[in-house]
Amino acid sequence: MMTDASLPEQLWFEVRKAATMMERRAESVVMAKTGVTLGLFMVLSVLHARDTPVSQQAIADRLGLTKGTVSRLLESARREGYVTSEVATASRRERAVALTVSGRKVVDAGDAALALSDLAHFATEEPTAALAVIDGLRAFIASMEASP
């Protein structure tokens, strides 16, 4: 723990360290079980949560990624047969993306692996602390989103 650093520096360091550790562990668990990257898994997960096709922009907004990053991940998903894509009815400039059966299987397998991994251990064993972390992160994210 950095005690000689200012509070903003400590916050930045701890959030970055936690994010990096979570990403590395989740990437390892998801890749081992599904063969897809964490980024692709996250995009597929957003689609899995919806019953109707979703725009690339909606996926980008949900994950905090650029539309270009989502576009590259979706192209990979299309090549692998995990998603379908068609021109959106609301805007001809948008693509509506939907998950295929094989895409749903990837998400189900990844979710099952994450639920059994050490990533879920903290939430299961320390639910009060986990909820406090979630509340704190939501407040932090809201503060960041409100800043210009």
Side-chain angles (χ1 to χ4, degrees):
M1 175 183 279
M2 296 175 30
T3 57
D4 57 341
S6 69
L7 187 57
E9 289 171 320
Q10 290 178 56
L11 176 63
W12 182 89
F13 180 79
E14 297 301 334
V15 167
R16 187 68 214 126
K17 183 177 179 182
T20 299
M21 290 175 73
M22 277 192 70
E23 229 173 271
R24 285 180 182 161
R25 289 205 177 140
E27 177 85 34
S28 175
V29 168
V30 167
M31 181 63 85
K33 187 64 175 182
T34 67
V36 302
T37 65
L38 183 60
L40 181 53
F41 175 75
M42 290 169 49
V43 167
L44 297 177
S45 293
V46 169
L47 295 170
H48 192 275
R50 307 282 179 95
D51 291 331
T52 58
V54 180
S55 73
Q56 290 181 14
Q57 187 62 58
I59 296 167
D61 291 345
R62 175 70 177 103
L63 295 174
L65 299 172
T66 66
K67 192 173 174 184
T69 298
V70 170
S71 179
R72 285 188 296 279
L73 290 166
L74 286 172
E75 182 54 37
S76 174
R78 276 192 286 278
R79 281 194 310 269
E80 295 296 326
Y82 299 142
V83 301
T84 60
S85 175
E86 59 188 42
V87 174
T89 55
S91 169
R92 300 193 68 76
R93 294 186 304 172
E94 282 284 331
R95 304 285 303 168
V97 184
L99 207 56
T100 64
V101 171
S102 62
R104 288 192 181 284
K105 288 179 181 178
V106 168
V107 175
D108 290 342
D111 284 346
L114 287 170
L116 296 173
S117 74
D118 61 338
L119 295 170
H121 181 77
F122 176 72
T124 303
E125 296 299 316
E126 302 288 341
T128 303
L131 288 170
V133 169
I134 291 167
D135 288 344
L137 287 171
R138 285 182 178 157
F140 179 65
I141 291 166
S143 171
M144 298 294 286
E145 289 175 338
S147 296

